[in-house]
Amino acid sequence: MREVYIYNTLSRKKELFKPVTPSMVGLYVCGPTVYGDAHLGHARPAVTFDVLVRLFRHLGYKVRYVRNITDVGHLEHDSDSGEDKIAKKARIEQLEPMEIVQTYTIRFHDAMRRLNTCPPSIEPRASGHIIEQIALVQKILDAGFAYISNGSVYFDVETYNRKHHYGALSGRNLDDTLSNTRSLDGQEDKHSPFDFALWKKASKEHIMRWPSPWSDGFPGWHLECSAMSEKYLGEEFDIHGGGMDLMFPHHECELAQNTASRGKGGVRYWMHNNMITINGQKMGKSLGNFITLDELFNGTNKLLEQAYSPMTIRFFILQAHYRSTLDFSNEALQAAEKGMKRMLQAAADLKNLKAANKPEEASEEIKAMEENVYAALCDDLNTPVALSHLFDAVKIINNAKEGKRSISAKDKEILDSLFTTVLTDILGIMDENFSNSAGEKKVIEGLMDIVLQERAKAKAEKDWAKSDFIRDSLKELGIYVKDTKEGAEWSL
């Protein structure tokens, strides 16, 4: 297997990836809180970790990919009413909380399907793992790193920090933590403002509640990922991923919970994708620059000049390294769309190129190009560099098409592999004129071969009426036929 290097947020350096279990990768990614439509911010981690999964599988690893759904409604609290987001949405729409959860989970899955992301191996919900979360709270209490206060249970950060380093992941100290601690209801129950809830006693009006040894209540936000990652990936697993906005407090608290309950951090590599900004600003409803994925796909947001296809969004995301900030603009998306179409057209043109009568050995240039593409992907998932090498391949194909150079059969084989294996199978970019199904694409290409053979036969027999009829009928369907020296080419 090729060596893969990953930037580990905990150590703050690139490290050679060595899985806990040989040939098996355990990956846990924080999924959405389902009280609204998936937005542009959801797309980046979804695409980033989808490419990582695809790469590992291509390299021969088995991957157990776990992505959670937060459906308990405890992620954030409204600053005025202290009401959790899912319960608030349910009250406004006069629905049960789980109706809200189901509605937006279905919409999230649809958006992920359109972005051509692979479904996770396991997609656990927080509400389905209350027993595991209660058991985890008890383990942390037994270890002496938590306390009970008025029916709630809090993690004792200062006690933990005396034995371990709270802030190791985010690079903070306790003074930093204090300045970033949110003011929430029930703060008077804490021993210290640093502390965070493991279990929260529910107020009378709180809809989503479960019985526990301490009170009828609900688990703290950070608890679910620690409990579910251990259940499905074990006490120690390979990679925990998510957006950089989750590094603190969410992942920092997870690391502390893991260490307190297991005696070790439990995660070998922490991976964080950076944020998407819009015209240089952080995306947010209060700034009026919040864009859902449906709005992007349909072009219905006031910030958009046009609709953008899911593949354009995916290509746009992959043009920047996952650890760098990605700035959205109409101009950037239009450039991404143009570049993607150019690449897909070259991939189609390659199939119609005839190899020159050259030795079967591939040229050093094209062999180096193939090596550079894989080296970039294995170097902390450097997709922009990989794409730059694919654009070099586009130049070679265009030059060969224009008769400015020739390529051998082996060159053509390598180039075809770069587009079918790397662009489509690993980077997940596909021609949206075709179905997601490779089988359907093969059928369409086969049917077009038959149609063009009939047209070539008509031309050979000087049946110009039939030849023109086939060409014009295809044009009405959006299929364009171009006659070249090598024969007819078609494109959608």
PDB file of all heavy atoms in Angstrom, residues 441-463:
ATOM      1  N   LYS A 441     -24.621   4.513 -17.691  1.00  0.00           N
ATOM      2  CA  LYS A 441     -23.703   5.253 -18.564  1.00  0.00           C
ATOM      3  C   LYS A 441     -23.188   4.345 -19.681  1.00  0.00           C
ATOM      4  O   LYS A 441     -23.127   4.749 -20.840  1.00  0.00           O
ATOM      5  CB  LYS A 441     -22.527   5.795 -17.743  1.00  0.00           C
ATOM      6  CG  LYS A 441     -21.508   6.574 -18.572  1.00  0.00           C
ATOM      7  CD  LYS A 441     -20.431   7.158 -17.681  1.00  0.00           C
ATOM      8  CE  LYS A 441     -19.412   7.919 -18.518  1.00  0.00           C
ATOM      9  NZ  LYS A 441     -18.345   8.512 -17.685  1.00  0.00           N
ATOM     10  N   LYS A 442     -22.857   3.108 -19.329  1.00  0.00           N
ATOM     11  CA  LYS A 442     -22.365   2.156 -20.323  1.00  0.00           C
ATOM     12  C   LYS A 442     -23.432   1.871 -21.380  1.00  0.00           C
ATOM     13  O   LYS A 442     -23.137   1.771 -22.579  1.00  0.00           O
ATOM     14  CB  LYS A 442     -21.946   0.865 -19.619  1.00  0.00           C
ATOM     15  CG  LYS A 442     -21.271  -0.155 -20.524  1.00  0.00           C
ATOM     16  CD  LYS A 442     -20.786  -1.353 -19.719  1.00  0.00           C
ATOM     17  CE  LYS A 442     -20.097  -2.377 -20.625  1.00  0.00           C
ATOM     18  NZ  LYS A 442     -19.624  -3.549 -19.855  1.00  0.00           N
ATOM     19  N   VAL A 443     -24.696   1.760 -20.927  1.00  0.00           N
ATOM     20  CA  VAL A 443     -25.794   1.512 -21.862  1.00  0.00           C
ATOM     21  C   VAL A 443     -25.935   2.674 -22.838  1.00  0.00           C
ATOM     22  O   VAL A 443     -26.078   2.491 -24.054  1.00  0.00           O
ATOM     23  CB  VAL A 443     -27.114   1.280 -21.099  1.00  0.00           C
ATOM     24  CG1 VAL A 443     -28.303   1.304 -22.060  1.00  0.00           C
ATOM     25  CG2 VAL A 443     -27.068  -0.059 -20.362  1.00  0.00           C
ATOM     26  N   ILE A 444     -25.897   3.918 -22.303  1.00  0.00           N
ATOM     27  CA  ILE A 444     -26.043   5.100 -23.159  1.00  0.00           C
ATOM     28  C   ILE A 444     -24.920   5.160 -24.186  1.00  0.00           C
ATOM     29  O   ILE A 444     -25.147   5.422 -25.368  1.00  0.00           O
ATOM     30  CB  ILE A 444     -26.066   6.382 -22.297  1.00  0.00           C
ATOM     31  CG1 ILE A 444     -27.349   6.418 -21.453  1.00  0.00           C
ATOM     32  CG2 ILE A 444     -26.006   7.627 -23.183  1.00  0.00           C
ATOM     33  CD1 ILE A 444     -27.356   7.503 -20.392  1.00  0.00           C
ATOM     34  N   GLU A 445     -23.687   4.924 -23.726  1.00  0.00           N
ATOM     35  CA  GLU A 445     -22.554   4.961 -24.661  1.00  0.00           C
ATOM     36  C   GLU A 445     -22.697   3.876 -25.727  1.00  0.00           C
ATOM     37  O   GLU A 445     -22.392   4.108 -26.905  1.00  0.00           O
ATOM     38  CB  GLU A 445     -21.247   4.789 -23.891  1.00  0.00           C
ATOM     39  CG  GLU A 445     -20.886   5.994 -23.032  1.00  0.00           C
ATOM     40  CD  GLU A 445     -19.622   5.785 -22.230  1.00  0.00           C
ATOM     41  OE1 GLU A 445     -19.256   4.613 -21.988  1.00  0.00           O
ATOM     42  OE2 GLU A 445     -19.011   6.788 -21.827  1.00  0.00           O
ATOM     43  N   GLY A 446     -23.185   2.699 -25.323  1.00  0.00           N
ATOM     44  CA  GLY A 446     -23.382   1.615 -26.286  1.00  0.00           C
ATOM     45  C   GLY A 446     -24.443   1.956 -27.314  1.00  0.00           C
ATOM     46  O   GLY A 446     -24.283   1.691 -28.520  1.00  0.00           O
ATOM     47  N   LEU A 447     -25.539   2.551 -26.877  1.00  0.00           N
ATOM     48  CA  LEU A 447     -26.607   2.952 -27.791  1.00  0.00           C
ATOM     49  C   LEU A 447     -26.117   4.018 -28.770  1.00  0.00           C
ATOM     50  O   LEU A 447     -26.454   3.983 -29.962  1.00  0.00           O
ATOM     51  CB  LEU A 447     -27.815   3.472 -27.005  1.00  0.00           C
ATOM     52  CG  LEU A 447     -28.613   2.418 -26.225  1.00  0.00           C
ATOM     53  CD1 LEU A 447     -29.658   3.096 -25.351  1.00  0.00           C
ATOM     54  CD2 LEU A 447     -29.294   1.433 -27.186  1.00  0.00           C
ATOM     55  N   MET A 448     -25.306   4.954 -28.264  1.00  0.00           N
ATOM     56  CA  MET A 448     -24.780   5.991 -29.152  1.00  0.00           C
ATOM     57  C   MET A 448     -23.850   5.398 -30.204  1.00  0.00           C
ATOM     58  O   MET A 448     -23.836   5.841 -31.363  1.00  0.00           O
ATOM     59  CB  MET A 448     -24.049   7.060 -28.334  1.00  0.00           C
ATOM     60  CG  MET A 448     -24.977   8.036 -27.629  1.00  0.00           C
ATOM     61  SD  MET A 448     -26.088   8.912 -28.775  1.00  0.00           S
ATOM     62  CE  MET A 448     -24.903   9.671 -29.884  1.00  0.00           C
ATOM     63  N   ASP A 449     -23.071   4.392 -29.822  1.00  0.00           N
ATOM     64  CA  ASP A 449     -22.205   3.727 -30.808  1.00  0.00           C
ATOM     65  C   ASP A 449     -23.049   3.117 -31.933  1.00  0.00           C
ATOM     66  O   ASP A 449     -22.705   3.232 -33.118  1.00  0.00           O
ATOM     67  CB  ASP A 449     -21.378   2.641 -30.130  1.00  0.00           C
ATOM     68  CG  ASP A 449     -20.237   3.202 -29.294  1.00  0.00           C
ATOM     69  OD1 ASP A 449     -19.907   4.390 -29.489  1.00  0.00           O
ATOM     70  OD2 ASP A 449     -19.695   2.467 -28.447  1.00  0.00           O
ATOM     71  N   ILE A 450     -24.158   2.494 -31.556  1.00  0.00           N
ATOM     72  CA  ILE A 450     -25.038   1.871 -32.569  1.00  0.00           C
ATOM     73  C   ILE A 450     -25.634   2.934 -33.488  1.00  0.00           C
ATOM     74  O   ILE A 450     -25.648   2.791 -34.722  1.00  0.00           O
ATOM     75  CB  ILE A 450     -26.157   1.068 -31.868  1.00  0.00           C
ATOM     76  CG1 ILE A 450     -25.566  -0.138 -31.136  1.00  0.00           C
ATOM     77  CG2 ILE A 450     -27.209   0.607 -32.876  1.00  0.00           C
ATOM     78  CD1 ILE A 450     -26.552  -0.845 -30.215  1.00  0.00           C
ATOM     79  N   VAL A 451     -26.112   4.043 -32.891  1.00  0.00           N
ATOM     80  CA  VAL A 451     -26.725   5.122 -33.681  1.00  0.00           C
ATOM     81  C   VAL A 451     -25.710   5.722 -34.647  1.00  0.00           C
ATOM     82  O   VAL A 451     -26.015   5.951 -35.835  1.00  0.00           O
ATOM     83  CB  VAL A 451     -27.303   6.205 -32.748  1.00  0.00           C
ATOM     84  CG1 VAL A 451     -27.750   7.420 -33.546  1.00  0.00           C
ATOM     85  CG2 VAL A 451     -28.486   5.648 -31.948  1.00  0.00           C
ATOM     86  N   LEU A 452     -24.494   5.963 -34.165  1.00  0.00           N
ATOM     87  CA  LEU A 452     -23.483   6.579 -35.031  1.00  0.00           C
ATOM     88  C   LEU A 452     -22.997   5.615 -36.109  1.00  0.00           C
ATOM     89  O   LEU A 452     -22.604   6.048 -37.205  1.00  0.00           O
ATOM     90  CB  LEU A 452     -22.317   7.087 -34.193  1.00  0.00           C
ATOM     91  CG  LEU A 452     -22.650   8.276 -33.266  1.00  0.00           C
ATOM     92  CD1 LEU A 452     -21.416   8.712 -32.488  1.00  0.00           C
ATOM     93  CD2 LEU A 452     -23.213   9.459 -34.058  1.00  0.00           C
ATOM     94  N   GLN A 453     -23.021   4.324 -35.820  1.00  0.00           N
ATOM     95  CA  GLN A 453     -22.688   3.350 -36.860  1.00  0.00           C
ATOM     96  C   GLN A 453     -23.728   3.384 -37.980  1.00  0.00           C
ATOM     97  O   GLN A 453     -23.386   3.295 -39.169  1.00  0.00           O
ATOM     98  CB  GLN A 453     -22.613   1.949 -36.253  1.00  0.00           C
ATOM     99  CG  GLN A 453     -21.345   1.688 -35.440  1.00  0.00           C
ATOM    100  CD  GLN A 453     -21.385   0.350 -34.733  1.00  0.00           C
ATOM    101  OE1 GLN A 453     -22.150  -0.537 -35.110  1.00  0.00           O
ATOM    102  NE2 GLN A 453     -20.575   0.209 -33.688  1.00  0.00           N
ATOM    103  N   GLU A 454     -25.011   3.522 -37.609  1.00  0.00           N
ATOM    104  CA  GLU A 454     -26.079   3.632 -38.605  1.00  0.00           C
ATOM    105  C   GLU A 454     -25.917   4.891 -39.434  1.00  0.00           C
ATOM    106  O   GLU A 454     -26.143   4.896 -40.646  1.00  0.00           O
ATOM    107  CB  GLU A 454     -27.452   3.615 -37.911  1.00  0.00           C
ATOM    108  CG  GLU A 454     -27.901   2.243 -37.452  1.00  0.00           C
ATOM    109  CD  GLU A 454     -28.042   1.288 -38.637  1.00  0.00           C
ATOM    110  OE1 GLU A 454     -28.744   1.626 -39.608  1.00  0.00           O
ATOM    111  OE2 GLU A 454     -27.421   0.203 -38.597  1.00  0.00           O
ATOM    112  N   ARG A 455     -25.519   5.964 -38.771  1.00  0.00           N
ATOM    113  CA  ARG A 455     -25.320   7.217 -39.508  1.00  0.00           C
ATOM    114  C   ARG A 455     -24.123   7.103 -40.449  1.00  0.00           C
ATOM    115  O   ARG A 455     -24.171   7.581 -41.602  1.00  0.00           O
ATOM    116  CB  ARG A 455     -25.104   8.372 -38.529  1.00  0.00           C
ATOM    117  CG  ARG A 455     -24.946   9.734 -39.215  1.00  0.00           C
ATOM    118  CD  ARG A 455     -24.997  10.865 -38.217  1.00  0.00           C
ATOM    119  NE  ARG A 455     -24.772  12.126 -38.883  1.00  0.00           N
ATOM    120  CZ  ARG A 455     -23.588  12.720 -39.016  1.00  0.00           C
ATOM    121  NH1 ARG A 455     -22.492  12.127 -38.531  1.00  0.00           N
ATOM    122  NH2 ARG A 455     -23.485  13.881 -39.652  1.00  0.00           N
ATOM    123  N   ALA A 456     -23.043   6.464 -39.990  1.00  0.00           N
ATOM    124  CA  ALA A 456     -21.862   6.272 -40.840  1.00  0.00           C
ATOM    125  C   ALA A 456     -22.217   5.413 -42.059  1.00  0.00           C
ATOM    126  O   ALA A 456     -21.761   5.674 -43.189  1.00  0.00           O
ATOM    127  CB  ALA A 456     -20.746   5.622 -40.036  1.00  0.00           C
ATOM    128  N   LYS A 457     -23.067   4.400 -41.856  1.00  0.00           N
ATOM    129  CA  LYS A 457     -23.519   3.545 -42.955  1.00  0.00           C
ATOM    130  C   LYS A 457     -24.330   4.350 -43.965  1.00  0.00           C
ATOM    131  O   LYS A 457     -24.158   4.209 -45.191  1.00  0.00           O
ATOM    132  CB  LYS A 457     -24.352   2.393 -42.390  1.00  0.00           C
ATOM    133  CG  LYS A 457     -24.830   1.402 -43.431  1.00  0.00           C
ATOM    134  CD  LYS A 457     -25.639   0.293 -42.766  1.00  0.00           C
ATOM    135  CE  LYS A 457     -26.207  -0.671 -43.814  1.00  0.00           C
ATOM    136  NZ  LYS A 457     -27.046  -1.729 -43.181  1.00  0.00           N
ATOM    137  N   ALA A 458     -25.214   5.234 -43.447  1.00  0.00           N
ATOM    138  CA  ALA A 458     -26.034   6.080 -44.328  1.00  0.00           C
ATOM    139  C   ALA A 458     -25.151   7.009 -45.150  1.00  0.00           C
ATOM    140  O   ALA A 458     -25.372   7.201 -46.357  1.00  0.00           O
ATOM    141  CB  ALA A 458     -27.038   6.883 -43.502  1.00  0.00           C
ATOM    142  N   LYS A 459     -24.117   7.571 -44.524  1.00  0.00           N
ATOM    143  CA  LYS A 459     -23.221   8.468 -45.251  1.00  0.00           C
ATOM    144  C   LYS A 459     -22.444   7.705 -46.322  1.00  0.00           C
ATOM    145  O   LYS A 459     -22.247   8.209 -47.435  1.00  0.00           O
ATOM    146  CB  LYS A 459     -22.249   9.136 -44.265  1.00  0.00           C
ATOM    147  CG  LYS A 459     -22.911  10.199 -43.375  1.00  0.00           C
ATOM    148  CD  LYS A 459     -21.909  10.833 -42.419  1.00  0.00           C
ATOM    149  CE  LYS A 459     -20.897  11.668 -43.182  1.00  0.00           C
ATOM    150  NZ  LYS A 459     -19.956  12.358 -42.263  1.00  0.00           N
ATOM    151  N   ALA A 460     -21.998   6.482 -45.971  1.00  0.00           N
ATOM    152  CA  ALA A 460     -21.259   5.670 -46.944  1.00  0.00           C
ATOM    153  C   ALA A 460     -22.126   5.345 -48.154  1.00  0.00           C
ATOM    154  O   ALA A 460     -21.621   5.240 -49.282  1.00  0.00           O
ATOM    155  CB  ALA A 460     -20.760   4.388 -46.281  1.00  0.00           C
ATOM    156  N   GLU A 461     -23.434   5.197 -47.927  1.00  0.00           N
ATOM    157  CA  GLU A 461     -24.368   4.893 -49.028  1.00  0.00           C
ATOM    158  C   GLU A 461     -24.932   6.160 -49.660  1.00  0.00           C
ATOM    159  O   GLU A 461     -25.849   6.095 -50.487  1.00  0.00           O
ATOM    160  CB  GLU A 461     -25.512   4.025 -48.487  1.00  0.00           C
ATOM    161  CG  GLU A 461     -25.051   2.641 -48.012  1.00  0.00           C
ATOM    162  CD  GLU A 461     -26.152   1.865 -47.313  1.00  0.00           C
ATOM    163  OE1 GLU A 461     -27.242   2.459 -47.065  1.00  0.00           O
ATOM    164  OE2 GLU A 461     -25.933   0.671 -47.000  1.00  0.00           O
ATOM    165  N   LYS A 462     -24.385   7.318 -49.229  1.00  0.00           N
ATOM    166  CA  LYS A 462     -24.814   8.636 -49.722  1.00  0.00           C
ATOM    167  C   LYS A 462     -26.307   8.891 -49.476  1.00  0.00           C
ATOM    168  O   LYS A 462     -26.983   9.577 -50.239  1.00  0.00           O
ATOM    169  CB  LYS A 462     -24.485   8.786 -51.219  1.00  0.00           C
ATOM    170  CG  LYS A 462     -22.996   8.630 -51.541  1.00  0.00           C
ATOM    171  CD  LYS A 462     -22.708   8.993 -52.964  1.00  0.00           C
ATOM    172  CE  LYS A 462     -21.248   8.738 -53.327  1.00  0.00           C
ATOM    173  NZ  LYS A 462     -20.313   9.468 -52.478  1.00  0.00           N
ATOM    174  N   ASP A 463     -26.792   8.319 -48.377  1.00  0.00           N
ATOM    175  CA  ASP A 463     -28.175   8.576 -47.967  1.00  0.00           C
ATOM    176  C   ASP A 463     -28.147   9.778 -47.024  1.00  0.00           C
ATOM    177  O   ASP A 463     -28.265   9.670 -45.808  1.00  0.00           O
ATOM    178  CB  ASP A 463     -28.741   7.336 -47.257  1.00  0.00           C
ATOM    179  CG  ASP A 463     -30.241   7.457 -46.987  1.00  0.00           C
ATOM    180  OD1 ASP A 463     -30.766   8.579 -47.129  1.00  0.00           O
ATOM    181  OD2 ASP A 463     -30.852   6.446 -46.615  1.00  0.00           O
TER     182      ASP A 463
END
